[in-house]
Amino acid sequence: MASRKKVLLKVIILGDSSVGKTSLMNQYVNRKFSNQYKATIGADFLTKEVTVDDRSVTMQIWDTAGQERFQSLGVAFYRGADCCVLVFDVTAPNTFKSLDSWRDEFLVQASPREPENFPFVLLGNKVDLEPRSISSKRAQQWCQSKNNIPYFETSAKEAINVEQAFLAIAKNALAQQNSAVDLYNEFPDQIKLTNTQKPSNGGSSCC
Amino acid sequence: MSYLDVEPGAAGESLLLTTDTNATFDNQYMSSSLEEIKNEIEPSETEDSNNESISNVTTYEENSSPMSVDNEDHEDRIQDKKWALMDKHIFVLSLAGKPIYSRYGNEDKLAWLFGVMQTLVSFIQSNDDNLISISAGGINFVFSIKKPLILVAVSRKQESVQQLQNQLNYIYNQIASMLTTSKLIKIYEQRQNYDLRRLLTGVERLINHLLDFAEAEPAFLLGAVQCLSLSSSKRSNISSAIISSCSKIKNIVFAILLANNKLITLVRMKKYSLHPSDLHLIFNLVQSTESFKTVESWAPICLPRFDSSGFLYGYVSYLSEDCQACLLLLTVERDAFHTLKEAKQRIVEKLRRNNCLEAINESLAKPDVNCAESGFLEVRHYLYKSKSTAQFYQPSVSPPYNKYGQVLTDLYKRLHQGLHCSARPLKLFFERRANEAIFAWDTVGFELYIIFEPLVETGNVVAIITRLLNWMKEREDNLFHLQVPTF
């Protein structure tokens, strides 16, 4: 089992279909890119181990399907995420417009303890393509309005900014973990003996 | 029937709490004897009717984890294959899908697989249903959702879903025994994304041991405990030595003396009783902790069936250099170490004076007789469980099973399943196989499982069983702990 220095982060990737969620993940984990489009069915899972500030971090990446007909994995799917990565395609304005609903959907489903401080990261993907329809400025404005979400412009195909973006994702999630309350320093509950014993329901018992 | 009059090891009053079947195991977090416990735990619903069967499951090899670096690729693949072919995998994860435990392999590297397991559970739950098991390719995947954890068994062995669920329960209880269930629940209420491994450093060893232990030890299958053979007068001397040495100490709930996985005695506070499954966790703790042999220890222990919300504090020490029996004094007091240490010294002195240490050593040195030695030539081995006392007896294992323990274990699992399968439980089971004839019988008072020579005559079976029951009855004072000593 892991020592205290080891951390596992659950990272969820959300965004419209074909913005490049799976490609980003594949570029990050396997350093591979394919031009072929294969829709994710349900969800894909990948693991990546990285070192962040001397801590060994395992990223458990949950890549989701963007298409609505696969959005049936249930509430529990988002539960207990450490970071949520929102992805849009800088050449497709509709994918940018959906960001609000993806973010809201996540917050409703995952219901994190402090929604306003939950670590999101925004990725504008496909910067290698032309023509571009969402400017950096516009994306950054959106991020500012959401409590300063970090923004990265990436290309899964050209491997631009992918490492950097995922490093920021890990750092953000870690910062959140460190600020959380220390759970294990409390004294455990003491058993109080009383003289009333409830009958057991397993069979004959003895008093 | 005449043999029903003979019920070795039966008693009106029992040392241990008794269980009727393993099926009840799941939902009965008993009765906490303690005021504060108000059924905080919602036991998982396991209705057979909710059983989901999924037949077309793609194997994980196809999506095999893509994390390997090229030069290690080949080696990793061999490792993966070996890993995939293991007889039985056990996984524990949080409801968020974060890995907590994997019996084989590094759970960090398997993080993707835990994600898949959580998604399967969560997908079925979103339809207001519960995933219980999947059968595919001769493998049983059994899921147990015990909030806030998900436990999964993947077995190629001939084990029923029920038996695997029973094993998963033990693992959950083992984790609870280190943290208490109320703490476990509280942790995840505060942080769903918690990485529980931080709190369970060192517990992996206990779980690993528990899994091997439960595999080899019939006590787990039967939900019962075996006692060390001792004359009833010696056993009662031992109990009195413990009682009189602790008489002035308040709040000792249980005093347990055990050796070699067998119970020597158990003294308890009048109002409270101990469940065999809690005792199994104690046996597991003692067996897997070498350091108890050299130092006296003070350890918080939660016994989930007794009270899952709090800790008992255990003084643990072997009796002496020359007697390898382990004594546990369990109290609710957090700082009673020195008081209990003194009590232990008084206990050892008394036991030495009464020649009890000698008696324990003698019994430990002399193995139980095997079937042939006690005159049962057609019987190779048997298990007898007295239901009213939750105790069992087995003779020494003799050839051929001394070399093939697994064969014996599998035969008993098969017999046990015959009597306890929830769909169609049998009262009587007899099967003639190529290598042996196997028999099981469930009565009001006992369960009896026998492995016969393959050519035993059916007509003789009843007579042999009668003789066997009488044989045990004559020795029941030695083989079973029939008194109920209390503080």
Side-chain angles (χ1 to χ4, degrees):
Chain A
M1 237 172 255
S3 72
R4 283 199 185 172
K5 279 202 160 174
K6 269 183 145 189
V7 193
L8 186 130
L9 298 175
K10 173 172 175 178
V11 177
I12 297 207
I13 306 187
L14 297 177
D16 280 0
S17 65
S18 74
V19 295
K21 297 181 292 297
T22 304
S23 295
L24 278 166
M25 195 169 82
N26 262 326
Q27 179 57 256
Y28 178 56
V29 177
N30 302 322
R31 299 203 173 83
K32 280 178 192 152
F33 179 82
S34 154
N35 261 318
Q36 258 184 346
Y37 175 64
K38 279 196 283 181
T40 304
I41 296 172
D44 273 351
F45 302 88
L46 283 176
T47 309
K48 168 98 172 175
E49 293 183 31
V50 286
T51 309
V52 183
D53 303 334
D54 285 341
R55 296 183 83 180
S56 132
V57 176
T58 304
M59 311 252 278
Q60 183 190 39
I61 307 171
W62 301 49
D63 175 26
T64 61
Q67 290 170 12
E68 220 160 283
R69 64 197 164 95
F70 296 125
Q71 300 290 311
S72 54
L73 291 170
V75 186
F77 189 82
Y78 300 108
R79 183 160 45 195
D82 293 290
C83 184
C84 176
V85 181
L86 299 171
V87 186
F88 73 99
D89 174 352
V90 294
T91 67
N94 285 336
T95 65
F96 181 71
K97 285 185 197 129
S98 320
L99 289 176
D100 274 305
S101 64
W102 281 115
R103 183 177 169 274
D104 293 346
E105 165 91 355
F106 176 81
L107 289 174
V108 170
Q109 302 265 22
S111 56
R113 277 174 84 76
E114 296 175 73
E116 61 287 355
N117 290 328
F118 185 85
F120 283 95
V121 172
L122 180 66
L123 307 185
N125 193 33
K126 304 195 188 178
V127 287
D128 53 293
L129 290 188
E130 293 288 343
R132 192 168 162 142
S133 59
I134 305 294
S135 67
S136 294
K137 204 176 157 200
R138 207 170 145 201
Q140 263 154 2
Q141 272 169 357
W142 185 84
C143 285
Q144 271 164 18
S145 73
K146 306 293 184 227
N147 208 0
N148 287 320
I149 296 178
Y151 175 58
F152 290 87
E153 300 208 322
T154 57
S155 162
K157 186 177 178 187
E158 312 282 344
I160 299 169
N161 251 346
V162 177
E163 284 280 341
Q164 292 87 331
F166 275 91
L167 190 66
I169 290 161
K171 281 193 170 170
N172 269 17
L174 274 179
Q176 183 76 8
Q177 285 223 331
N178 292 341
S179 68
V181 271
D182 198 2
L183 283 160
Y184 35 82
N185 280 338
E186 293 167 43
F187 248 117
D189 308 327
Q190 184 170 16
I191 292 178
K192 291 210 178 67
L193 294 173
T194 65
N195 282 328
T196 49
Q197 183 177 36
K198 292 176 209 159
S200 84
N201 34 7
S204 58
S205 108
C206 40
C207 306
Chain B
M1 281 197 280
S2 63
Y3 355 91
L4 280 176
D5 301 339
V6 186
E7 221 175 77
E13 245 196 327
S14 164
L15 188 68
L16 293 163
L17 269 177
T18 52
T19 38
D20 284 343
T21 63
N22 278 327
T24 59
F25 210 107
D26 207 17
N27 289 351
Q28 288 174 18
Y29 271 87
M30 158 192 119
S31 88
S32 79
S33 11
L34 313 164
E35 195 176 48
E36 291 149 313
I37 309 161
K38 283 175 194 130
N39 295 336
E40 279 188 329
I41 332 139
E42 289 280 310
S44 64
E45 295 145 41
T46 44
E47 286 168 45
D48 283 352
S49 59
N50 284 344
N51 206 334
E52 283 283 331
S53 283
I54 300 173
S55 49
N56 290 323
V57 185
T58 46
T59 57
Y60 42 80
E61 280 108 329
E62 286 169 44
N63 301 326
S64 153
S65 73
M67 73 248 155
S68 43
V69 187
D70 281 345
N71 55 356
E72 291 170 8
D73 213 28
H74 183 62
E75 208 165 290
D76 274 7
R77 227 171 269 163
I78 294 171
Q79 284 297 325
D80 279 358
K81 202 149 206 183
K82 260 194 201 158
W83 180 89
L85 289 172
M86 289 295 194
D87 268 352
K88 181 150 74 183
H89 282 280
I90 300 281
F91 305 101
V92 182
L93 53 148
S94 71
L95 285 177
K98 286 202 178 187
I100 295 170
Y101 170 84
S102 169
R103 188 179 191 188
Y104 303 112
N106 175 328
E107 74 278 350
D108 271 321
K109 293 216 158 92
L110 297 168
W112 58 277
L113 181 62
F114 287 89
V116 175
M117 293 189 264
Q118 194 273 354
T119 304
L120 287 172
V121 168
S122 134
F123 179 70
I124 304 292
Q125 271 182 343
S126 66
N127 296 319
D128 287 324
D129 211 337
N130 272 315
L131 179 57
I132 292 171
S133 71
I134 302 171
S135 297
I139 304 174
N140 265 331
F141 301 75
V142 175
F143 296 77
S144 173
I145 300 136
K146 292 179 128 332
K147 283 173 185 163
L149 305 180
I150 299 171
L151 301 103
V152 184
V154 179
S155 174
R156 294 171 187 273
K157 296 186 168 192
Q158 298 291 316
E159 290 172 295
S160 67
V161 170
Q162 226 171 316
Q163 284 165 349
L164 288 164
Q165 264 165 350
N166 190 26
Q167 290 163 23
L168 293 178
N169 274 329
Y170 267 107
I171 294 161
Y172 180 82
N173 285 350
Q174 179 68 70
I175 292 171
S177 103
M178 305 320 275
L179 296 173
T180 74
T181 11
S182 39
K183 175 116 181 191
L184 204 53
I185 289 165
K186 206 162 127 202
I187 286 169
Y188 282 106
E189 268 171 8
Q190 288 179 2
R191 283 176 62 190
Q192 295 186 326
N193 60 347
Y194 195 72
D195 189 341
L196 195 68
R197 293 175 302 169
R198 287 196 224 177
L199 284 185
L200 293 179
T201 318
V203 179
E204 191 182 40
R205 183 179 52 86
L206 287 175
I207 301 176
N208 288 341
H209 188 271
L210 181 71
L211 287 166
D212 295 338
F213 192 30
E215 190 68 46
E217 187 44 64
F220 288 80
L221 190 66
L222 298 175
V225 170
Q226 187 174 7
C227 292
L228 186 73
S229 299
L230 273 180
S231 72
S232 60
S233 62
K234 272 287 173 271
R235 208 188 297 277
S236 91
N237 281 346
I238 296 170
S239 307
S240 334
I242 294 174
I243 294 167
S244 61
S245 306
C246 297
S247 62
K248 291 196 182 108
I249 307 168
K250 268 200 278 179
N251 288 338
I252 298 186
V253 190
F254 301 113
I256 299 158
L257 187 62
L258 53 92
N260 197 15
N261 285 329
K262 290 176 185 165
L263 184 67
I264 297 172
T265 191
L266 162 66
V267 183
R268 55 181 177 78
M269 216 179 229
K270 274 204 186 66
K271 297 283 172 189
Y272 305 105
S273 25
L274 192 59
H275 193 279
S277 74
D278 282 342
L279 201 48
H280 293 154
L281 292 181
I282 290 176
F283 277 69
N284 185 53
L285 177 72
V286 169
Q287 240 212 0
S288 56
T289 315
E290 274 296 309
S291 65
F292 287 158
K293 287 188 176 156
T294 47
V295 278
E296 301 159 285
S297 308
W298 183 244
I301 302 169
C302 167
L303 298 177
R305 296 295 291 260
F306 170 70
D307 185 341
S308 63
S309 74
F311 282 118
L312 288 172
Y313 296 86
Y315 170 85
V316 190
S317 169
Y318 279 78
L319 284 183
S320 71
E321 290 269 311
D322 60 333
C323 182
Q324 289 296 298
C326 184
L327 176 74
L328 293 99
L329 301 172
L330 299 174
T331 171
V332 291
E333 303 290 337
R334 220 173 256 155
D335 39 20
F337 177 82
H338 289 285
T339 323
L340 297 181
K341 181 186 162 84
E342 286 160 19
K344 179 234 164 181
Q345 280 157 358
R346 288 195 296 273
I347 292 171
V348 174
E349 278 162 32
K350 281 183 189 155
L351 293 181
R352 203 177 284 283
R353 241 181 291 144
N354 297 339
N355 298 327
C356 290
L357 295 186
E358 237 171 18
I360 293 171
N361 281 337
E362 239 167 63
S363 173
L364 281 174
K366 185 186 70 187
D368 282 313
V369 288
N370 64 33
C371 297
E373 286 161 357
S374 42
F376 295 98
L377 297 173
E378 305 90 335
V379 179
R380 289 179 177 175
H381 195 256
Y382 61 93
L383 298 176
Y384 169 88
K385 174 191 173 181
S386 157
K387 287 184 184 178
S388 61
T389 50
Q391 293 174 33
F392 80 99
Y393 175 73
Q394 60 174 337
S396 278
V397 180
S398 48
Y401 305 117
N402 50 350
K403 281 197 181 149
Y404 304 97
Q406 190 59 47
V407 175
L408 196 59
T409 307
D410 290 344
L411 290 172
Y412 282 131
K413 274 186 186 154
R414 178 171 171 75
L415 287 170
H416 185 267
Q417 176 59 11
L419 298 192
H420 293 94
C421 131
S422 55
R424 196 169 48 106
L426 301 173
K427 289 287 169 206
L428 207 58
F429 184 116
F430 184 79
E431 185 178 64
R432 206 180 279 281
R433 303 160 66 94
N435 296 317
E436 53 263 303
I438 60 176
F439 168 89
W441 188 18
D442 184 14
T443 75
V444 181
F446 60 81
E447 286 168 21
L448 182 60
Y449 305 87
I450 307 180
I451 314 297
F452 285 104
E453 291 290 335
L455 298 177
V456 66
E457 290 209 24
T458 320
N460 286 343
V461 166
V462 173
I464 295 169
I465 292 165
T466 313
R467 265 173 56 218
L468 195 62
L469 289 172
N470 283 322
W471 186 89
M472 283 188 284
K473 182 75 189 166
E474 279 162 30
R475 292 159 182 78
E476 65 173 0
D477 281 340
N478 275 349
L479 308 181
F480 300 95
H481 189 337
L482 300 175
Q483 299 137 345
V484 185
T486 56
F487 288 120

